[in-house]
């Protein structure tokens, strides 16, 4: 079943960074060059819908989430991740990259930091993303992603530009505090 990328793009967490693209209602990035959000969503959707191309690569590991880089191009990269029940990312951003993830198997729960509410004390918003759904987010999106179900999950993530770092955060209930930076090639 194809994923409706129009729905995914409407769920983009930073609407100020987008402009409508006539006539389809899809959106495109405005403040930079590179692939559109709709293109990123289509890539994630198409790859997630073809497990025969990647299922042989998937591993499930109890001690940590498993991930594998599938493809890196000048303006984007694609990752495959597996999630056993209870595995989480912790609060993080993607170092300025736009991102999309599609669920190929299972469900993941995202807790994202509502930056617009930050000026009023902030809050965490919760969203469950299921098989055949896509989540799109902007370069300043802070979230925690995890498998809260009883079954394993597999997701496809597409970033633009390619990841160079991920910044880690802690939510105190009142403030979002940066606790560290993980760099590509050094920390993962």
């Amino acid at each position: 079943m194809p994923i409706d990328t129009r729905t995914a793009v409407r769920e983009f967490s930073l609407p100020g960074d987008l402009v409508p693209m006539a006539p389809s209602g899809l959106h495109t990035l405005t403040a930079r060059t590179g692939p559109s959000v709709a293109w990123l969503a289509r890539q994630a959707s198409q790859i997630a819908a073809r497990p025969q191309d990647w299922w042989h690569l998937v591993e499930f590991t109890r001690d940590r989430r498993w991930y594998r880089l599938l493809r890196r191009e000048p303006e984007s990269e694609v990752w495959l991740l597996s999630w056993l029940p209870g595995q989480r990312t912790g609060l993080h951003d993607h170092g300025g990259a736009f991102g999309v993830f599609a669920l190929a198997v299972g469900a993941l729960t995202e807790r994202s930091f509502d930056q617009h509410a930050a000026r009023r004390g902030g809050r965490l918003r919760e969203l469950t993303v299921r098989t055949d759904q896509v989540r799109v987010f902007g370069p300043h999106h802070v979230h925690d992603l995890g498998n809260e179900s009883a079954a394993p999950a597999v997701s496809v993530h597409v970033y633009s530009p390619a990841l160079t770092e991920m910044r880690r955060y802690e939510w105190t209930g009142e403030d979002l505090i940066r606790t560290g930076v993980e760099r590509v090639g050094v920390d993962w």
Side-chain angles (χ1 to χ4, degrees), residues 2 4 16 19 26 29 40 65 70-71 90 106 112 118 164 171 174 182 185:
D4 182 357
V19 295
L26 293 179
L29 307 179
L40 296 174
R65 286 175 300 110
L70 290 180
R71 181 173 67 223
S112 59
T164 58
W171 173 244
E174 294 182 19
E182 296 175 0

Side-chain angles (χ1 to χ4, degrees), residues 13-15 112-125 140-142 171 173-176:
S13 62
L14 298 172
S112 59
F113 184 73
D114 183 343
Q115 294 186 4
H116 300 292
R119 292 176 222 109
R120 301 182 307 276
R123 66 183 177 92
L124 290 175
R125 181 176 69 175
H140 305 292
H141 185 71
V142 175
W171 173 244
E174 294 182 19
D175 294 311
L176 187 66

Side-chain angles (χ1 to χ4, degrees), residues 110-177:
E110 178 190 46
R111 290 185 182 92
S112 59
F113 184 73
D114 183 343
Q115 294 186 4
H116 300 292
R119 292 176 222 109
R120 301 182 307 276
R123 66 183 177 92
L124 290 175
R125 181 176 69 175
E126 191 170 296
L127 172 71
T128 298
V129 181
R130 301 184 194 296
T131 300
D132 294 334
Q133 291 182 325
V134 176
R135 177 73 168 115
V136 179
F137 52 89
H140 305 292
H141 185 71
V142 175
H143 69 165
D144 170 40
L145 197 57
N147 183 353
E148 296 182 359
S149 75
V154 177
S155 55
V156 175
H157 300 244
V158 182
Y159 301 102
S160 178
L163 295 178
T164 58
E165 67 180 18
M166 287 182 16
R167 295 175 288 237
R168 295 285 175 183
Y169 296 87
E170 179 182 326
W171 173 244
T172 67
E174 294 182 19
D175 294 311
L176 187 66
I177 299 168

Side-chain angles (χ1 to χ4, degrees), residues 25-91:
L26 293 179
H27 298 80
T28 185
L29 307 179
T30 58
R32 62 183 214 64
T33 60
S36 71
V37 172
W39 183 88
L40 296 174
R42 278 192 304 276
Q43 292 298 301
S45 171
Q46 290 170 356
I47 294 166
R50 295 192 47 84
Q52 65 272 22
D53 292 344
W54 48 260
W55 189 257
H56 66 281
L57 301 171
V58 176
E59 297 177 25
F60 292 95
T61 58
R62 292 202 186 285
D63 59 332
R64 65 175 178 83
R65 286 175 300 110
W66 174 88
Y67 50 88
R68 180 176 181 149
L69 180 64
L70 290 180
R71 181 173 67 223
R72 179 173 283 140
E73 297 173 354
E75 294 184 338
S76 67
E77 65 184 14
V78 179
W79 291 82
L80 182 64
L81 284 78
S82 72
W83 310 76
L84 288 174
Q87 292 180 333
R88 307 199 68 75
T89 62
L91 280 171

